[in-house]
Amino acid sequence: MSQTKLFEPFKVGPIALPNRLVMAPLTRNRAVPPGMVPSPLAVDYYGQRASAGLLITEASQVSQQGQGYQDTPGIYSKEQVEGWRKVTDRVHEKGGRIFIQVWHVGRISHTTLQPGGGKPVAPSAIRAKGKTFVGGTFTEISEPRALELSEIPGIIEDFKRGTENALAAGFDGVEIHGANGYLLDQFAKDGTNKRTDAYGGSIENRARLMLEVSKAVAAIAGPERTGIRISPVTPANDVSDSNPQPLFDYIVDGLSALKLTYIHVIEGATGGPRDNAPFDYASLRKRFKQAYVANNGYDFDLATKVLEAGAADLIAFGKPFISNPDLVERLKRGAPLNEWDKATFYGGGAKGYTDYPTLAAAQAAE
């Protein structure tokens, strides 16, 4: 088993990864309100999974306006930086490497989470079909308002401040969340962006905010410590584009020119079918000069096949990392995996978060 490329080392910029497994960003809704600070449990959770080649944290909002669900952590306050510093210290003690995913949800939010109970912001005032999680229950997403042109520099500033805070918190790098129907994806796709100014209309205009944020983050973290997540054809959060191939070919050309260290690509529908819509991911792989991280529905066999074919450099695993803190070891040995408990994915305490047994612990208990 261990002869597969999955367990070979790989370099992401200056960072030497011991294997090619990436722990995907996974929203767990366990930050401590009202300050949205990572909890002491998060320190254990990430520390337990430090054997991954690279850990990427759950999405963390760059401002209060950027929050869309209850109890998600932020990276905009001193207290949040201190909370995250405990996480990075633990991961580094265990020999791990960790990036934070920085996030603005845009229209996927609720007035109760917004500053002063205001409307969520979006490229255009189009309400998303779907629900968000606030006040312990699933609630209809609120109607957004379109961002004024004059507000867009402030959004970029929020990402810059989040990046400065991430470095102060000891992260090895930053992943920009440009996927899954959140703000940057909403601007890029024509189903959600009906603007007629410099950020709407043409592919170049719709891609502008994603590329401007990427340039701003890379200027602070260094492009060699900046990655981005994209999802060309996901329908997540009611997002769509009439012609995603030229759009994402253009975006990836721009990201490659910025020399970002990786693109993290959700292939297909997020957490759903990989073949939901036709798309040539090989085109992105060819255009992007640094590392390609493949994501969505990967298991050992598919990961091995894709790496052997040279179609990706790194493979992101999501749910298997929730239930298997020692996923790397289990896959190496061909050992059975713990099954995940969906009921404890979002919110709660240690149950379904830090109490999944390692292989060694499971064998000792037998």
Side-chain angles (χ1 to χ4, degrees):
M1 280 271 180
S2 57
Q3 296 317 299
T4 167
K5 274 190 159 171
L6 196 54
F7 308 115
E8 286 180 2
F10 187 80
K11 269 194 104 173
V12 165
I15 305 161
L17 313 184
N19 57 67
R20 295 176 185 237
L21 280 90
V22 174
M23 176 172 146
L26 296 154
T27 295
R28 304 304 306 274
N29 305 85
R30 284 168 167 85
V32 183
M36 299 307 149
V37 175
S39 76
L41 282 174
V43 179
D44 294 337
Y45 171 73
Y46 287 108
Q48 286 170 351
R49 288 155 180 79
S51 60
L54 178 64
L55 296 172
I56 306 169
T57 71
E58 62 213 279
S60 304
Q61 57 266 10
V62 293
S63 63
Q64 187 190 342
Q65 184 196 68
Q67 183 177 357
Y69 308 86
Q70 75 175 56
D71 304 341
T72 56
I75 187 66
Y76 55 89
S77 75
K78 188 166 138 292
E79 294 73 25
Q80 290 161 354
V81 171
E82 286 165 4
W84 278 121
R85 167 59 80 174
K86 293 177 180 137
V87 171
T88 62
D89 283 351
R90 175 71 61 85
V91 168
H92 292 145
E93 274 164 28
K94 298 269 189 131
R97 300 130 303 272
I98 185 166
F99 277 34
I100 187 172
Q101 190 186 60
V102 291
W103 191 32
H104 191 305
V105 299
R107 67 181 187 155
I108 307 301
S109 187
H110 194 268
T111 53
T112 57
L113 296 171
Q114 292 293 307
K119 288 183 172 185
V121 298
S124 302
I126 305 166
R127 188 177 191 157
K129 295 183 186 76
K131 292 186 185 298
T132 181
F133 190 65
V134 289
T137 184
F138 284 96
T139 311
E140 294 292 326
I141 291 163
S142 296
E143 186 186 333
R145 65 174 181 85
L147 277 162
E148 301 284 340
L149 196 56
S150 60
E151 292 178 283
I152 290 177
I155 300 282
I156 298 167
E157 281 302 315
D158 288 340
F159 276 97
K160 283 167 74 171
R161 183 185 55 186
T163 304
E164 286 163 354
N165 286 343
L167 299 180
F171 283 100
D172 299 300
V174 172
E175 177 176 293
I176 299 156
H177 200 338
N180 292 352
Y182 296 117
L183 187 67
L184 303 183
D185 203 26
Q186 290 161 25
F187 266 85
K189 291 178 177 166
D190 60 16
T192 37
N193 183 343
K194 306 296 183 189
R195 299 177 77 93
T196 54
D197 59 15
Y199 289 88
S202 67
I203 279 174
E204 292 78 6
N205 284 0
R206 286 182 281 122
R208 190 183 306 273
L209 184 59
M210 195 181 295
L211 295 175
E212 285 179 345
V213 165
S214 299
K215 186 178 180 181
V217 170
I220 292 162
E224 72 285 0
R225 293 181 183 272
T226 304
I228 188 168
R229 192 183 212 200
I230 54 175
S231 55
V233 296
T234 191
N237 289 314
D238 194 25
V239 75
S240 64
D241 191 80
S242 60
N243 198 0
Q245 192 76 50
L247 171 64
F248 280 89
D249 283 349
Y250 175 83
I251 285 172
V252 168
D253 282 344
L255 297 170
S256 190
L258 291 171
K259 298 185 165 59
L260 296 201
T261 202
Y262 68 74
I263 52 171
H264 178 180
V265 184
I266 298 171
E267 299 167 344
T270 308
R274 292 175 48 79
D275 58 355
N276 68 310
F279 192 85
D280 180 12
Y281 299 100
S283 169
L284 306 187
R285 168 80 167 139
K286 204 160 62 214
R287 288 165 182 277
F288 191 71
K289 299 293 180 275
Q290 308 340 299
Y292 181 104
V293 183
N295 181 311
N296 203 24
Y298 276 85
D299 58 13
F300 176 84
D301 292 336
L302 183 58
T304 298
K305 187 176 145 192
V306 165
L307 289 172
E308 291 301 332
D313 299 298
L314 298 159
I315 307 290
F317 290 81
K319 292 190 278 286
F321 261 119
I322 287 180
S323 51
N324 297 278
D326 57 344
L327 182 64
V328 177
E329 182 68 15
R330 285 174 185 263
L331 291 179
K332 246 184 201 170
R333 292 191 185 196
L337 302 185
N338 295 324
E339 290 192 17
W340 54 78
D341 172 16
K342 221 172 171 175
T344 55
F345 279 1
Y346 306 114
K351 183 173 162 48
Y353 190 49
T354 55
D355 64 348
Y356 285 106
T358 60
L359 195 55
Q363 287 168 343
E366 276 174 9

